[in-house]
């Protein structure tokens, strides 16, 4: 038995070593925002997302929003004590610069957490989230097909989200640019795919279908379930 136990522990530690991802810990920044570090290194989402894409996406595209966002909130004391989700919910419909910069900052922070190396993935949700997906979409495969179809057919740059609307229904929401469905509490984003060309073009070129199809392989359903249970199903935005 001890022999078996040791082998199980060894195998578990091996699996853990193959799944290098930091434990989810929201930073809840207020007043001054900074670029979050990735919960894994740039290579670890390969072969789905090439390290060069992840590097530029994080270091250049995500970083773009930080300085303008900090300048905006420094201008007006109304924004002083607000987290990024407060900013989007309260001012995302009134102030376009807040909407885009806070939206871009938040969308990407959520995206990095929501992914993990494909070898660690369980490929589909369980529990309450799965039950609710089945209730609103029929079954998990139908949901994936519908979400993928929306992503592939999105016109221009933007995001497609699995989102919970104020009635508590799970819906698919699409937004152009970096506008977040959090603005004005339209719905609470749970899982989103970035459909800007910078998210895939260097590797997939114009094969958007291949990008979307493979992207499912790096979704961290365990964390998405946790977000759903702790925040989104309670009517709260996921903190980052
Ligand atoms: Mn992006």
């Amino acid at each position: 038995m001890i022999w078996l136990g040791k082998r199980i522990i060894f195998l578990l530690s091996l699996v853990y070593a193959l799944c290098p991802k930091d434990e989810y810990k929201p930073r809840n920044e207020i007043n001054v925002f900074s670029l979050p570090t990735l919960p894994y290194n740039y290579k670890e989402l390969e072969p789905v997302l090439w390290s060069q894409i992840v590097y530029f996406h994080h270091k250049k595209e995500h970083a773009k929003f930080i300085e303008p966002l900090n300048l905006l909130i420094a201008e007006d004391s109304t924004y002083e004590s607000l987290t990024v989700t407060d900013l989007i919910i309260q001012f995302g419909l009134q102030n376009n610069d807040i909407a885009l910069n806070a939206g871009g900052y938040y969308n990407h922070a959520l995206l990095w957490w929501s992914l993990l190396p494909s070898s660690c993935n369980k490929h589909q949700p369980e529990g309450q989230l799965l039950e609710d997906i089945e209730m609103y979409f029929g079954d998990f495969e139908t949901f994936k097909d519908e979400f993928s179809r929306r992503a592939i057919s999105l016109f221009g740059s933007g995001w497609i989200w699995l989102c919970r609307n104020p009635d508590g229904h799970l819906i698919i929401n699409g937004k152009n640019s970096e506008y977040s469905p959090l603005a004005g509490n339209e719905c609470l984003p749970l899982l989103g795919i970035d459909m800007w060309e910078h998210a895939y073009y260097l590797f997939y070129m114009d094969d958007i279908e291949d990008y979307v199809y493979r992207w499912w392989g790096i979704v961290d359903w365990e964390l998405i379930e946790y977000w759903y249970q702790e925040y989104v199903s309670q009517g709260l935005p996921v903190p980052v």
Side-chain angles (χ1 to χ4, degrees), residues 23-115:
E23 197 188 335
Y24 166 67
K25 218 173 182 186
R27 302 186 307 163
N28 284 314
E29 284 183 313
I30 51 167
N31 221 4
V32 177
F33 296 92
S34 58
L35 185 66
T37 52
L38 288 190
Y40 30 71
N41 72 43
Y42 291 113
K43 276 187 83 66
E44 277 161 354
L45 299 178
E46 289 184 354
V48 176
L49 293 182
W50 185 32
S51 57
Q52 291 288 300
I53 290 184
V54 182
Y55 176 81
F56 284 106
H57 200 171
H58 177 241
K59 284 278 196 199
K60 304 286 177 189
E61 301 296 337
H62 192 179
K64 255 186 210 168
F65 306 107
I66 311 287
E67 202 187 325
L69 180 59
N70 285 331
L71 286 173
L72 278 165
I73 58 172
E75 273 171 16
D76 190 332
S77 59
T78 323
Y79 306 135
E80 242 169 33
S81 59
L82 303 180
T83 63
V84 69
T85 52
D86 296 332
L87 281 167
I88 300 168
I89 291 170
Q90 292 178 37
F91 300 100
L93 294 183
Q94 300 154 32
N95 184 323
N96 205 47
D97 293 328
I98 293 267
L100 291 175
N101 289 295
Y105 170 85
Y106 182 65
N107 293 343
H108 288 87
L110 211 55
L111 174 72
W112 304 131
W113 276 124
S114 72
L115 304 178

Side-chain angles (χ1 to χ4, degrees), residues 204-215:
Y204 292 96
M205 306 301 278
D206 62 352
D207 197 347
I208 301 173
E209 286 186 32
D210 198 29
Y211 162 59
V212 172
Y213 174 76
R214 291 198 204 199
W215 177 85

